[in-house]
Amino acid sequence: MAALDINGLRKAFGGNVIIPDVTLALEPGLITSLVGPNGAGKTTLFNLITGFLRPDAGSVHYKGSDLVGLSPQRVTRLGIARSFQDLRLFNEMTVFENVLVAQESSFRLWTRAAACRHTDAVLERVGLADKRDTRAMDLSYAERKFLNLARIMALDIDLFLLDEPASGLDGPSRTTFHMLLQSLKDEGHTVLLIEHNLDIVREVSDRIAFLNKGEVMAFDTPERIFANERLTDLYFGTAGRPAEAESC
Amino acid sequence: MIAYIANLGVLLGIAVILASSLNLMVGYAGIFSVAHAVFYGVGAYAAAKVALGVTDSFLLATAVAMFVSGAVSFLLAVPVLRVREEYFVVASIGFQVVASTIFTSWHAVTGGMGGLAGIPPARVLGWQLTSPVEYLILTAVCMVLVLAFIAVLVKSPFGRALKAFRDDEVAATALGKDPLALRVAATTISGALAAVAGSIYAFHVSFVNPESFTLDYSVMILAMVIIGGAGSLAGPIVGAVFITAFPALLNFIEMPSRYVGPVEQLIYGASIVLLMIFWPNGLASVWRLLRPRRPVQAAGGGTER
């Protein structure tokens, strides 16, 4: 059974059809990269899966239930979490609080010791343990990216949707990121990744879905996708590597 | 003189409770309400009804007042909090107007403009309160309890979730937090806490009528929160002291009596305007200026001059 089964998904804003028809089945336990030129509808697809946008047609099946029409918080509680391209950290809070708030139940008067231990373990894992009490706004760019990841890693999640988690990372940070992704995969998690940097895509992906004008043009292993000249032409010919304009 | 100061102290304590409870909504949940006097009023009327008809026990009357006021704010919050922030402000004004009308017109329950008179002195654990100083002690104890509860609340997982929404609503939702449930809970708690102030007021003055719970007073409570500094524990306390004590201080300025009223209002109004220009983060943020400089804040930055 697919980890996520997207069928005939369609979304238009006014008369502007952003996603005419997306059908895609994610294989469980694999890292799938979503690539495509700027404006291909990648972030929109994330918004449709996670309930931030409601599709005009189609279905998104996860563990036997259709996610369409569910609120974002319901989708997250079912086990799908997303990160944002523009990070959206809780800037006034410390690194520790950013991760703690993600995993604890909101309707509680006392902080559980287990939640604190879990938070510290996650911070250790992403290499932010020594920044525990720093406010999110005072972190470096790379640290902010890792905090963004830590926040959703703290949740009880099967499927990670990561929107450009590695963009702007330098060499060593990229290695750390790569190891983190690998460890998520080793634990049996499924990952869908939006990434512009094709080196990273080549390094980490098990599958690549090539999205163009809101349609999946190809879905295959990295070797086959990179060997397909038509796709590489389309990717480099249409757009270089500008930042994605669309966002949530 | 002691009675005057004690009475001022009671009013101050009431203002601190009201501003601090509203701060839960404004400063932590990001809900701007101009209807807080309604919950103060509902609390006062409920406590008065209990005192007049059932028992003079302050604790029991306050418990009933908190329940009724909490229930009213819950019923208001569920439908209205679905609208976006700025619309909620307008909706809350509408709610205040409706509530004021009910206070004035529902004679059978509220006594209309004449209000409810003859509320017996409060009894707390067998102790009958008579002097203003005793009421001051009661007010101080209630105020400390309310502030302690709020302090625990904002540091709890619940408070953290509220702050997460305040910082970034989309991210908080994406992490599985339910915005409506959190806001409704914050509004309900805020309304219930305001009723504590209402109950103290009803017993202290032994009389309630609609004039104490007007839109004007709702605006004043919101002003206390903003002038003091929303989103901190100290802010509403400083704001409540400023708004309540400042007019009292102006009384000491020597001037012909016919000028006192207008001059007082002018100084009062102008100082609020100046405060908002120079310290938009509130009076409580002033002490931050005295600390060693931290990196410039990303947003707002009102304390950096």
Side-chain angles (χ1 to χ4, degrees), chain B residues 173-235:
Chain B
T173 311
L175 292 172
K177 308 279 167 204
D178 187 335
L180 188 64
L182 277 164
R183 290 199 171 128
V184 168
T187 307
T188 306
I189 294 170
S190 173
L193 292 178
V196 176
S199 180
I200 296 171
Y201 179 82
F203 280 108
H204 176 57
V205 184
S206 82
F207 167 71
V208 288
N209 85 341
E211 283 171 23
S212 311
F213 318 112
T214 56
L215 179 60
D216 280 4
Y217 197 56
S218 282
V219 173
M220 292 309 264
I221 304 169
L222 184 59
M224 290 173 197
V225 177
I226 293 170
I227 288 172
S232 71
L233 289 171

Side-chain angles (χ1 to χ4, degrees), chain B:
Chain B
M1 187 64 186
I2 286 180
Y4 173 76
I5 292 174
N7 283 329
L8 187 64
V10 171
L11 292 181
L12 195 60
I14 286 175
V16 168
I17 292 172
L18 290 174
S20 299
S21 56
L22 180 61
N23 185 39
L24 264 184
M25 291 172 71
V26 174
Y28 291 97
I31 309 161
F32 281 75
S33 161
V34 202
H36 211 53
V38 173
F39 307 116
Y40 175 40
V42 168
Y45 276 107
K49 284 305 239 189
V50 172
L52 286 168
V54 187
T55 168
D56 58 353
S57 160
F58 174 77
L59 295 182
L60 200 68
T62 305
V64 171
M66 289 177 77
F67 177 80
V68 174
S69 186
V72 171
S73 49
F74 176 82
L75 291 177
L76 164 78
V78 172
V80 177
L81 281 177
R82 290 176 190 277
V83 301
R84 299 286 312 171
E85 294 126 34
E86 53 270 41
Y87 303 112
F88 183 84
V89 179
V90 180
S92 75
I93 295 174
F95 181 68
Q96 168 75 53
V97 171
V98 169
S100 288
T101 311
I102 292 173
F103 290 156
T104 318
S105 318
W106 196 8
H107 286 266
V109 174
T110 65
M113 275 312 283
L116 302 172
I119 298 164
R123 193 169 46 78
V124 186
L125 307 171
W127 172 42
Q128 198 86 37
L129 274 69
T130 44
S131 72
V133 174
E134 286 171 321
Y135 274 100
L136 180 60
I137 294 167
L138 175 72
T139 309
V141 171
C142 289
M143 183 183 84
V144 168
L145 287 176
V146 167
L147 291 177
F149 176 70
I150 292 174
V152 168
L153 199 64
V154 299
K155 286 190 168 39
S156 72
F158 178 74
R160 242 189 320 271
L162 285 181
K163 282 185 252 180
F165 268 100
R166 189 181 64 185
D167 271 12
D168 196 312
E169 181 166 345
V170 170
T173 311
L175 292 172
K177 308 279 167 204
D178 187 335
L180 188 64
L182 277 164
R183 290 199 171 128
V184 168
T187 307
T188 306
I189 294 170
S190 173
L193 292 178
V196 176
S199 180
I200 296 171
Y201 179 82
F203 280 108
H204 176 57
V205 184
S206 82
F207 167 71
V208 288
N209 85 341
E211 283 171 23
S212 311
F213 318 112
T214 56
L215 179 60
D216 280 4
Y217 197 56
S218 282
V219 173
M220 292 309 264
I221 304 169
L222 184 59
M224 290 173 197
V225 177
I226 293 170
I227 288 172
S232 71
L233 289 171
I237 302 173
V238 175
V241 171
F242 178 81
I243 295 265
T244 314
F246 198 59
L249 284 178
L250 289 176
N251 283 338
F252 291 101
I253 299 173
E254 298 267 342
M255 69 181 93
S257 59
R258 67 194 164 109
Y259 295 132
V260 171
V263 168
E264 197 183 288
Q265 291 295 315
L266 283 177
I267 295 179
Y268 194 42
S271 54
I272 290 175
V273 173
L274 290 173
L275 271 174
M276 287 298 97
I277 292 172
F278 292 110
W279 286 308
N281 288 349
L283 277 174
S285 70
V286 172
W287 70 278
R288 275 186 222 147
L289 293 173
L290 307 174
R291 285 195 306 178
R293 283 202 165 210
R294 300 177 69 157
V296 179
Q297 293 181 3
T303 56
E304 303 286 340
R305 280 210 294 154

Side-chain angles (χ1 to χ4, degrees), chain A residues 64-78:
Chain A
S65 57
D66 192 355
L67 302 180
V68 170
L70 296 186
S71 64
Q73 63 265 26
R74 285 281 303 147
V75 173
T76 304
R77 286 182 201 163
L78 286 175

Side-chain angles (χ1 to χ4, degrees), chain A residues 7-12 19-20 22 48 54-60 68:
Chain A
N7 228 314
L9 213 59
R10 176 190 157 87
K11 181 70 188 173
I19 306 246
V22 164
L48 290 170
R54 201 190 165 100
D56 301 328
S59 65
V60 181
V68 170

Side-chain angles (χ1 to χ4, degrees), chain A:
Chain A
M1 196 169 107
L4 189 75
D5 205 346
I6 303 170
N7 228 314
L9 213 59
R10 176 190 157 87
K11 181 70 188 173
F13 295 101
N16 195 0
V17 183
I18 303 292
I19 306 246
D21 180 7
V22 164
T23 296
L24 180 68
L26 296 185
E27 294 167 59
L30 295 188
I31 299 173
T32 304
S33 287
L34 198 56
V35 302
N38 200 28
K42 302 184 290 289
T43 299
T44 305
L45 186 60
F46 270 23
N47 286 334
L48 290 170
I49 297 170
T50 51
F52 281 96
L53 286 176
R54 201 190 165 100
D56 301 328
S59 65
V60 181
H61 279 277
Y62 171 75
K63 287 185 177 169
S65 57
D66 192 355
L67 302 180
V68 170
L70 296 186
S71 64
Q73 63 265 26
R74 285 281 303 147
V75 173
T76 304
R77 286 182 201 163
L78 286 175
I80 301 178
R82 69 176 294 182
S83 72
F84 293 91
Q85 200 178 312
D86 49 356
L87 305 184
R88 295 186 167 275
L89 301 176
F90 305 127
N91 281 319
E92 296 281 343
M93 294 191 192
T94 64
V95 166
F96 182 76
E97 286 174 316
N98 262 274
V99 178
L100 182 63
V101 75
Q103 42 144 345
E104 65 189 352
S105 157
S106 305
F107 294 94
R108 220 175 244 290
L109 277 182
W110 283 273
T111 307
R112 282 164 55 237
C116 293
R117 281 195 301 273
H118 182 52
T119 299
D120 279 325
V122 173
L123 289 179
E124 189 72 45
R125 210 173 145 189
V126 300
L128 284 175
D130 57 334
K131 297 282 179 180
R132 187 182 190 274
D133 299 318
T134 308
R135 273 193 310 176
M137 65 164 69
D138 297 330
L139 292 177
S140 72
Y141 181 72
E143 287 162 349
R144 290 171 63 80
K145 296 284 257 192
F146 283 114
L147 178 55
N148 184 32
L149 265 180
R151 230 170 30 171
I152 53 174
M153 281 168 60
L155 299 167
D156 188 15
I157 289 300
D158 296 318
L159 173 58
F160 288 84
L161 307 181
L162 308 179
D163 199 345
E164 295 201 39
S167 69
L169 291 184
D170 58 7
S173 310
R174 236 169 77 182
T175 310
T176 314
F177 168 71
H178 191 162
M179 282 161 53
L180 269 176
L181 263 192
Q182 200 57 46
S183 69
L184 287 179
K185 184 183 160 185
D186 293 343
E187 289 165 7
H189 297 297
T190 311
V191 179
L192 181 62
L193 185 73
I194 294 178
E195 187 50 61
H196 278 291
N197 186 327
L198 294 184
D199 292 335
I200 295 176
V201 170
R202 203 192 299 261
E203 282 168 24
V204 303
S205 313
D206 300 305
R207 297 283 181 275
I208 293 176
F210 193 101
L211 201 68
N212 188 39
K213 294 179 181 161
E215 282 181 277
V216 181
M217 303 261 306
F219 180 52
D220 216 327
T221 60
E223 296 74 28
R224 292 214 192 122
I225 294 278
F226 281 108
N228 185 331
E229 280 181 18
R230 196 169 71 87
L231 294 178
T232 44
D233 276 356
L234 198 60
Y235 189 81
F236 292 111
T238 316
R241 241 213 94 236
E244 187 124 310
E246 59 194 87
S247 88
C248 177

